[in-house]
Structure formats: structure tokens, C-alpha cells
């Protein structure tokens, strides 16, 4: 009766052997609940979620609890990463009913899909004021049979509130201005942690999009306080335990304010966004500090993406689990792969190097984690050639030793949006640091998505092992794939990438735009499954809002396209940004991607078109200068005259390469030397 063995989600497959009669979300599940006159028990989680594993081990693997679930409910399991539309609807309900959300998410629904009771993790036995899961099941069943009118009333009220919440975004006549962005940056800086970096207190999530927005703000204003906030945060995260000091890559968040102790799951979407930030930061400081910390972290994140998350098809897997299963059939141990004791270090690299490594990486007998173990940190840098060589040798040996340990499981599904983020970051890092092989990795991923994730002209959300799933793409999938294709267009100068971006973006405009509110966007398509509400959320969270991601794609495409297309895309970009004025004014910490796009928009965005007969794979001086000096969000493109829209009617000058710098519709005279180009870019 468990129907998850054929799922394309690794998370659902993790539950395929539960005695619970799990099934995927579909119309038949709702019909069965109506026929049996029982509620739906909806359980939502994801493959690398620690507390999802805990609840599964405690309750879903227990035959007695499973029997109670099977007898009294239709049990539906959903991967929030594969079905973010369902997750959004019922997470809003959970927050509305309890004041907080999280995963695993546990919701009880009527056969119409209306929620009447929601929560998150429930223990097997009562503790900490929480009822046991079986107590909750008993109470829900009793209420369903004896107080049905209250259930119907509550579910109706919740459904009405959710529909009202997503019906329409607040209208505004205000526009994006430099003053608004100055206000937003100042408000964010009011929450800065001057000691440890970041914003607010523990737990701390990497503020990826916000750092990108602030970096672009500094590029426009030159405010040293803003730059200090960005660099302090980037430095603190890279030196703390949230960053894997042996293999690279960031964990999902830090449980403390100092970025020391991570929640150990490592997500593609975090690392793709952070790669973008560190690459852009490295680009900015490379002139004075070529082997800077951001430069090292950029290279290490890319190594992590290619080595640990790469799939045989050329895409990138979603995540590494927080837990390590030390023995089959036992619950996982969080962080077991990553932590060390002084004795373990000495056992792998000898007592002398072991003592040195323990001091360097902050490993003590007391430990900074559980049971006397330590998460590695790196608060100092080697200062001599001998120390650098020693550190390289120690790290290589410890990496090899760690690889022999049991490893966390990998969520192998390839999510379109997150792979679009990776394409964007790889292509931009390649341009920023002149590493063509990174473009090759981005190209391989893009070709896989275009070939396998587009079915009958429409994007699918995810694939597993090269087999695409049935879940349709949502707005962020179209937005980030478009942005990645545009990054490749700039990195290679090839027209095909722009044409593919046009196709993906035009499909998004056709199916996701709000017909009643220009510049408004839904997260699901107009012909997608009808849910309790049609979700849309303009807030930037761990991943940017679909609408803010689309705003970047629209703005960049407008700057790279022919005039007729450009006008349409530019108008939509401006209207979309206009919808974010209230968020930037009132909640700028939740508007990092909006800020980044808006900063580019108020500067034009800057367009640098370089007419050349040489290949952009071997950057000429003008192109290298543009890539080093252009503000974030600029469109930088080198190609033969007339080969791409941005080079139409822009010839060579005296048979030599020439750079054309424009801001919006205002263009400077062409320049032919690197110094002239730097001077042109210094003018705001």
C-alpha cells in the first residue's frame, strides 16, 4: 500500500519502506479521503532535513503508529523541494495557525484540501510541552468524528484567509529611486552584528542575496561602512565552522552568532548564491590582494560543486544530508562526518602535525560541538611558504581520511532553479577570475536542462538520474534558468544562449504574469494544478522570491536584446520592481535580491559592448578591464560587430577593438584603451 518506491524524489524514496501507506499528492488522494470520510495527513519535508529523519525513525517506521495513521487518515508525503507550490500553501497555513513554521511540516486537511490543524515535528513520546504524535492522531480523529462542525468552520476560515492573502499585492505608484535604496541599505546596517558579521542574532543563515545587494550598493555609493559590513560578514562566515575548512562549501546555517557550529546540511542553492557573492568580492579586491580569502573561497566552492554535487548528466545535485548513518538501521548522527578530536588528528597526521593542526583549526579536548568533538574553524592564515606548504599537506591528508568515514547521503535530484543559480554563478565567476573551464561546467549544465527539463515547451521542476519528474516548473525555475543562460551569453558571446533565454522568459511571461496587475507574478502557472490558493510570495528568503529573480532576468534581457524586445522586457522589469517598493521600504532585510536588481536598474543598467574579432574565451584587454571594473548587474559582452543584438551598429574603430558604454538609452563615445574604459566606468 506504500506507493513511494517509484517516486522521482529521493526524499519520498526514503519513506518507501515505511509501514505507513504513503502516497504522493494527487487528485486520487483527495478522492480517497472523501470516499472514506477521513482527513488527509499531509507530511512535508526534504531529503537533507535532520528533524524529518528523526520523526521518520521515531514514528513513521513504527508499525503500531503506522497502523493508527493508515486506519484513520489518507497519508500523503510531499517533497517541499519538488513541490514548492504545495509547500508554500500549507506553510502559510501552518504559520497562520501556529505562529511559526518549519520541517517536517504536519498538516491535517479536509478531503477538499483545506487545513484545519497544522504543526511541525511531533515526538514519539510527550516532551517539552509537546504531545506525542499518537496523542495528536487520537485527538484529531476524535475531533473529526465528534466535532465535525468545528472542523468545517475552522478549515473554511483558514482557506478564506489564505485566499485573501494571495489575491493581490498592494498597489503602489512609487518607483525605485537612489534615495529608496539608500534608505534600505541604512535600515539593513541598523541590524548589523559588528562583532561577528551578519545581521541579527542566532541562528544565522548566510545572507547571500543581501550581501550581493549591499555590494552593488557600495559600488554605486562608495560608502565604506557598507563595504565593511559585506567583507566582515564574508570573512566571518568563511572562517567559521559553517564553512567546510577541508573540502569547501557552506552549511545551511549556524546555530550560534559566531558562525561556528553549523546545521550540517549543505544545499546547492546556498552555495550557488554564495559563490556569486565571493566571486564578485574577489573581483573587487583582486587588484590589491590577488590571493585573497574571497578568491580562495570562490575556488573551493566551485571544487565542492563539481566534486561533491556534480551528476553524471552534467547537472548538480540538491544537497548533502545533515546526518551521517554510522550503522544501517540506526538513526543518523548530525555532523559525524565532519568533526574531530585532537587524538583523531594525531592519529591521521602524527603527533607533531596533529598538535599544530589542532591549534590552527581550533580543535580542543573540550570540543566546541558534541561529546568532546570540534568543528574545524580557521581564524588565522599561514604567513610563510613553509606554513602554507604544511597546511596544504595537512588538509590533503585530512580530506583523504575524512573520505574514509561514513558519508552523509546525497539528494541527487536536479532542481531547475538551483541549477540555474549554479550556471549563473559559475559563468560569472569564470568571467570575474578568468577561468574558462568554469564556463564549460556551466555550459554542460545548461545544455542538460535545455534538453531534458523542457518537455513540450515547458519547464519541469526536477529530474533524478536523468529522468525528468512530472512536477511542473514554477516561476523561479524559469527566472533562474533565464538568468543562467544570459550569464553564458555574456561569458561566451554566443547568440544561441540569448535566444534560449528569450524562449524561456517569454514562456514565463505568458503563463505566470498576473493579468490584473502588471508587474505582478504568481509562483505557479496559469494552467497548473488548482490548489487551495495560487501561491505567490514577494519576500526574498533562503532563495530569492520568484518575482525578484524574474526581475533580474527581465532587466538583463532588456539590456542585451534588440530595441523592440528590449522595450517590452524593460517595461516589465520596471513594473516588477515597482511592486517591491513597499518591501524595500519596510522590510529590506527580506529584499536582498530586490535590492541587487534595483541597484543595477538605477544605474541603467550599465551596458558594455565590445566590438572585436577575437574570441571572448581569450579575453582581450578591453574585455578583461570591463569584467574587472563594471558594477554588479552590468551587461558585459564581446563579439564581432553585428553578431549579437548588443553589437548591432557598433563597429570596430580604425580596425581595432572598441568598447561602447551605455547606461539605459544614453551612450558614451566608443573607447579603445583600457584606461579610457576605466575612466568611463568611474562616471556614475
Amino acid at each position: 500500500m506504500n506507493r513511494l518506491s517509484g517516486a522521482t524524489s529521493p526524499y519520498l524514496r526514503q519513506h518507501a519502506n515505511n509501514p505507513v501507506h504513503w502516497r504522493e499528492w494527487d487528485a486520487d488522494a483527495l478522492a480517497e479521503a472523501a470516499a472514506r470520510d477521513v482527513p488527509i495527513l499531509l507530511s512535508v519535508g526534504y531529503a537533507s532535513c535532520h528533524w524529518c529523519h528523526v520523526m521518520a525513525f521515531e514514528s513513521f517506521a513504527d508499525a503500531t503508529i503506522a497502523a493508527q495513521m493508515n486506519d484513520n487518515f489518507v497519508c500523503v508525503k510531499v517533497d517541499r523541494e519538488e513541490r514548492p507550490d504545495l509547500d508554500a500553501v500549507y506553510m502559510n497555513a501552518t504559520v497562520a495557525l501556529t505562529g511559526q513554521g518549519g520541517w517536517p511540516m504536519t498538516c491535517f486537511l479536509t478531503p477538499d484540501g483545506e487545513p484545519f490543524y497544522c504543526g511541525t515535528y511531533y515526538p514519539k513520546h510527550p516532551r517539552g510541552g509537546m504531545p506525542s504524535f499518537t496523542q495528536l492522531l487520537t485527538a484529531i480523529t476524535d475531533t473529526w468524528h465528534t466535532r465535525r462542525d468545528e472542523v468545517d468552520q475552522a478549515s473554511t476560515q483558514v482557506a478564506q484567509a489564505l485566499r485573501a492573502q494571495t489575491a493581490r499585492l498592494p498597489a503602489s505608484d512609487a518607483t525605485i529611486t537612489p534615495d529608496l535604496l539608500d534608505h534600505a541599505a541604512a535600515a539593513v546596517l541598523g541590524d548589523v552584528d559588528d562583532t561577528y558579521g551578519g545581521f541579527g542574532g542566532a541562528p544565522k543563515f548566510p545572507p547571500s542575496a543581501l550581501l550581493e545587494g549591499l555590494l552593488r550598493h557600495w559600488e554605486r555609493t562608495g560608502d565604506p561602512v557598507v563595504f565593511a559590513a559585506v567583507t566582515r560578514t564574508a570573512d566571518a562566515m568563511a572562517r567559521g565552522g559553517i564553512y567546510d575548512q577541508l573540502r569547501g562549501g557552506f552549511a545551511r546555517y549556524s546555530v550560534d552568532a559566531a558562525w561556528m557550529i553549523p546545521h550540517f546540511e549543505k544545499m546547492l542553492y546556498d552555495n550557488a548564491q554564495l559563490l556569486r557573492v565571493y566571486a564578485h568580492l574577489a573581483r573587487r579586491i583582486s587588484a590589491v590582494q590577488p590571493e585573497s580569502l574571497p578568491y580562495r573561497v570562490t575556488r573551493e566552492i566551485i571544487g565542492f560543486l563539481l566534486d561533491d554535487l556534480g551528476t553524471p548528466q552534467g547537472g548538480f545535485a540538491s544537497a548533502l544530508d545533515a546526518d551521517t548513518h554510522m550503522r544501517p538501521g540506526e538513526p543518523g548522527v548530525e555532523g559525524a562526518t565532519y568533526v574531530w578530536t585532537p587524538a583523531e588528528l594525531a592519529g591521521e597526521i602524527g603527533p607533531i602535525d596533529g598538535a599544530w593542526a589542532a591549534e590552527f583549526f581550533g580543535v580542543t579536548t573540550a570540543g566546541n560541538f558534541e561529546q568532546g568533538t570540534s568543528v574545524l574553524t580557521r581564524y588565522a592564515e599561514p604567513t610563510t611558504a613553509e606554513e602554507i606548504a604544511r597546511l596544504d599537506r595537512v588538509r590533503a591528508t585530512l580530506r583523504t581520511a575524512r573520505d574514509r568515514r561514513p558519508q552523509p547521503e546525497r539528494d541527487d535530484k536536479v532542481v531547475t532553479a538551483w541549477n540555474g543559480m549554479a550556471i549563473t554563478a559559475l559563468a560569472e565567476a569564470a568571467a570575474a577570475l578568468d577561468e574558462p573551464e568554469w564556463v564549460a561546467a556551466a555550459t554542460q549544465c545548461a545544455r542538460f536542462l535545455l534538453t531534458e527539463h523542457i518537455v513540450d515547451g515547458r519547464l519541469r521542476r526536477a529530474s533524478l538520474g536523468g529522468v525528468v519528474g512530472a512536477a511542473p516548473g514554477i516561476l523561479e525555475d524559469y527566472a533562474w534558468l533565464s538568468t543562467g543562460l544570459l550569464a553564458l551569453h555574456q561569458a561566451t558571446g554566443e547568440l544561441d544562449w540569448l535566444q534560449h533565454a528569450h524562449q524561456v522568459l517569454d514562456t514565463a511571461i505568458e503563463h505566470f504574469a498576473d493579468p490584473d496587475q502588471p508587474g505582478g507574478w504568481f509562483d505557479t502557472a496559469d494552467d497548473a494544478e488548482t490548489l487551495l490558493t495560487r501561491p505567490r510570495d514577494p519576500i526574498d528568503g533562503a532563495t530569492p522570491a520568484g518575482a525578484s529573480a524574474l526581475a533580474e532576468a527581465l532587466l538583463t534581457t532588456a539590456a542585451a536584446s534588440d530595441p523592440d524586445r528590449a522595450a517590452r522586457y524593460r517595461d516589465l522589469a520596471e513594473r516588477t520592481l515597482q511592486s517591491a517598493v513597499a518591501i524595500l521600504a519596510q522590510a529590506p532585510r527580506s529584499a536582498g535580491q530586490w535590492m541587487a536588481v534595483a541597484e543595477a536598474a538605477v544605474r541603467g543598467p550599465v551596458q558594455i559592448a565590445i566590438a572585436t574579432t577575437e574570441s571572448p574565451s581569450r579575453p582581450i584587454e578591453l574585455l578583461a578591464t570591463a569584467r574587472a571594473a563594471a558594477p554588479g548587474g552590468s551587461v558585459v559582452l564581446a563579439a564581432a560587430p553585428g553578431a549579437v543584438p548588443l553589437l548591432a551598429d557598433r563597429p570596430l574603430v580604425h580596425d581595432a577593438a572598441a568598447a561602447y558604454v551605455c547606461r539605459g538609452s544614453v551612450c558614451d563615445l566608443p573607447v579603445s584603451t583600457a584606461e579610457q574604459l576605466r575612466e568611463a566606468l568611474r562616471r556614475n
Side-chain angles (χ1 to χ4, degrees):
M1 294 296 292
N2 187 309
R3 307 182 189 183
L4 302 184
S5 61
T8 55
S9 159
Y11 173 64
L12 299 191
R13 290 187 177 191
Q14 288 174 356
H15 294 269
N17 293 321
N18 291 164
V20 179
H21 294 169
W22 292 120
R23 59 186 302 157
E24 297 188 61
W25 175 278
D26 57 20
D28 289 344
L30 278 67
E32 181 185 335
R36 290 175 54 195
D37 191 27
V38 295
I40 294 168
L41 193 167
L42 175 67
S43 177
V44 183
Y46 57 105
S48 58
C49 166
H50 172 72
W51 286 103
C52 300
H53 298 326
V54 172
M55 192 167 178
F57 182 80
E58 290 179 343
S59 297
F60 302 151
D62 185 294
T64 301
I65 296 176
Q68 185 178 1
M69 295 170 65
N70 298 334
D71 289 344
N72 298 290
F73 304 91
V74 171
C75 301
V76 176
K77 178 63 75 172
V78 167
D79 182 343
R80 78 172 183 96
E81 297 173 348
E82 188 176 54
R83 290 298 304 268
D85 51 343
L86 286 167
D87 178 65
V89 170
Y90 292 106
M91 184 58 72
N92 285 339
T94 300
V95 172
L97 289 171
T98 69
Q100 60 185 8
W103 299 275
M105 178 167 59
T106 308
C107 298
F108 297 90
L109 321 177
T110 69
D112 292 328
E114 296 182 345
F116 61 91
Y117 192 91
C118 298
T120 53
Y121 163 79
Y122 291 97
K124 185 173 184 177
H125 304 289
R127 71 168 184 262
M130 287 190 293
S132 71
F133 189 49
T134 53
Q135 287 175 328
L136 176 66
L137 295 176
T138 300
I140 294 293
T141 300
D142 179 68
T143 301
W144 181 263
H145 290 299
T146 64
R147 296 154 57 192
R148 187 66 169 273
D149 56 336
E150 295 179 24
V151 171
D152 293 340
Q153 183 179 7
S155 64
T156 299
Q157 290 175 344
V158 172
Q160 289 174 343
L162 293 177
R163 292 185 182 108
Q165 180 181 343
T166 58
R168 188 177 177 87
L169 296 175
S172 173
D173 293 329
T175 58
I176 299 293
T177 64
D179 287 345
L180 173 64
L181 296 175
D182 293 346
H183 162 81
V188 170
L189 292 179
D191 291 331
V192 73
D193 182 339
D194 289 322
T195 303
Y196 298 115
F199 308 94
K204 279 186 174 175
F205 290 78
S208 312
L210 195 57
L211 291 177
E212 179 69 20
L214 289 172
L215 187 58
R216 293 185 185 185
H217 181 79
W218 167 76
E219 289 175 324
R220 179 175 61 84
T221 66
D223 187 340
V225 177
V226 174
F227 189 67
V230 173
T231 54
R232 184 187 302 113
T233 300
D235 185 86
M237 290 193 303
R239 296 193 180 282
I242 191 174
Y243 184 68
D244 186 341
Q245 301 298 341
L246 295 184
R247 292 191 67 85
F250 285 89
R252 184 163 173 254
Y253 64 88
S254 170
V255 301
D256 62 290
W259 307 103
M260 180 180 289
I261 306 302
H263 183 52
F264 288 89
E265 59 189 325
K266 296 167 80 173
M267 316 299 292
L268 173 60
Y269 60 72
D270 283 324
N271 284 282
Q273 292 180 87
L274 287 166
L275 170 58
R276 202 180 192 196
V277 172
Y278 280 92
H280 293 172
L281 192 55
R283 175 180 73 109
R284 278 305 182 194
I285 63 179
S286 62
V288 294
Q289 200 177 357
E291 298 296 323
S292 64
L293 183 146
Y295 178 83
R296 171 172 65 81
V297 171
T298 296
R299 301 189 72 88
E300 290 177 355
I301 294 176
I302 291 175
F304 165 69
L305 293 181
L306 298 180
D307 296 341
D308 290 16
L309 295 185
T311 68
Q313 296 77 27
F316 296 96
S318 294
L320 297 182
D321 206 332
D323 297 343
T324 300
H325 291 274
M326 308 302 289
R327 297 176 186 83
E330 294 186 2
V333 179
E334 188 175 7
T337 300
Y338 303 100
V339 296
W340 297 84
T341 65
E344 288 172 333
L345 293 176
E348 296 294 347
I349 55 179
I352 297 176
D353 276 349
W356 180 85
E359 182 177 1
F360 187 86
F361 289 117
V363 178
T364 65
T365 54
N368 59 27
F369 188 54
E370 298 171 352
Q371 299 177 332
T373 61
S374 292
V375 180
L376 302 188
T377 57
R378 183 171 171 174
Y379 294 119
E381 292 295 324
T383 56
T384 67
E386 182 181 1
E387 283 186 336
I388 292 171
R390 187 182 200 181
L391 177 60
D392 289 343
R393 183 181 70 251
V394 164
R395 289 182 73 206
T397 304
L398 293 179
R399 278 196 301 269
T400 300
R402 200 179 82 180
D403 288 347
R404 293 194 298 266
R405 295 175 171 181
Q407 299 295 309
E409 292 185 8
R410 189 173 88 158
D411 182 342
D412 279 333
K413 72 176 179 294
V414 174
V415 175
T416 301
W418 306 347
N419 276 255
M421 293 178 187
I423 294 166
T424 303
L426 285 166
E428 292 181 353
L433 303 181
D434 190 18
E435 293 285 357
E437 66 269 23
W438 299 344
V439 176
T443 297
Q444 185 180 27
C445 182
R447 294 205 185 284
F448 170 69
L449 295 181
L450 290 172
T451 301
E452 301 299 335
H453 280 220
I454 296 179
V455 179
D456 297 329
R458 304 289 289 280
L459 273 176
R460 297 285 178 88
R461 173 67 175 173
S463 63
L464 182 66
V467 178
V468 70
I474 62 171
L475 183 62
E476 70 165 4
D477 296 307
Y478 286 84
W480 280 111
L481 179 54
S482 299
T483 300
L485 297 171
L486 292 164
L488 281 172
H489 175 55
Q490 296 179 69
T492 65
E494 295 173 6
L495 180 60
D496 282 357
W497 298 119
L498 178 62
Q499 293 172 334
H500 286 306
H502 285 156
Q503 292 165 0
V504 173
L505 199 52
D506 288 347
T507 303
I509 294 168
E510 179 182 357
H511 291 286
F512 292 87
D514 183 345
D516 299 322
Q517 188 175 15
W521 303 90
F522 290 99
D523 288 327
T524 56
D526 54 0
D527 54 359
E529 176 187 359
T530 300
L531 302 176
L532 189 63
T533 65
R534 189 178 177 191
R536 61 169 155 198
D537 185 357
I539 299 299
D540 291 330
T543 57
S548 65
L550 191 75
E552 177 170 12
L554 289 166
L555 190 69
T556 305
T557 310
S561 298
D562 59 85
D564 290 341
R565 281 184 177 272
R568 178 189 182 217
Y569 293 138
R570 177 74 194 202
D571 179 65
L572 278 172
E574 290 175 348
R575 290 177 181 273
T576 303
L577 283 169
Q578 187 175 349
S579 73
V581 167
I583 303 171
L584 284 164
Q586 300 169 22
R589 273 186 60 186
S590 299
Q593 173 73 5
W594 288 114
M595 181 187 295
V597 181
E599 285 288 354
V602 299
R603 300 186 77 161
V606 177
Q607 304 156 51
I608 306 168
I610 300 172
T612 177
T613 56
E614 298 187 45
S615 169
S617 64
R618 300 184 61 83
I620 60 173
E621 187 179 19
L622 281 176
L623 179 56
T625 300
R627 287 174 170 174
S634 299
V635 172
V636 179
L637 194 67
V644 296
L646 204 57
L647 269 299
D649 301 320
R650 287 172 172 166
L652 303 175
V653 175
H654 303 304
D655 295 325
Y660 296 79
V661 179
C662 300
R663 295 167 181 82
S665 58
V666 179
C667 297
D668 297 342
L669 292 173
V671 297
S672 56
T673 69
E675 182 52 42
Q676 289 172 331
L677 179 55
R678 278 190 286 269
E679 177 58 32
L681 291 173
R682 278 194 284 266
R683 297 193 294 269
N684 275 330

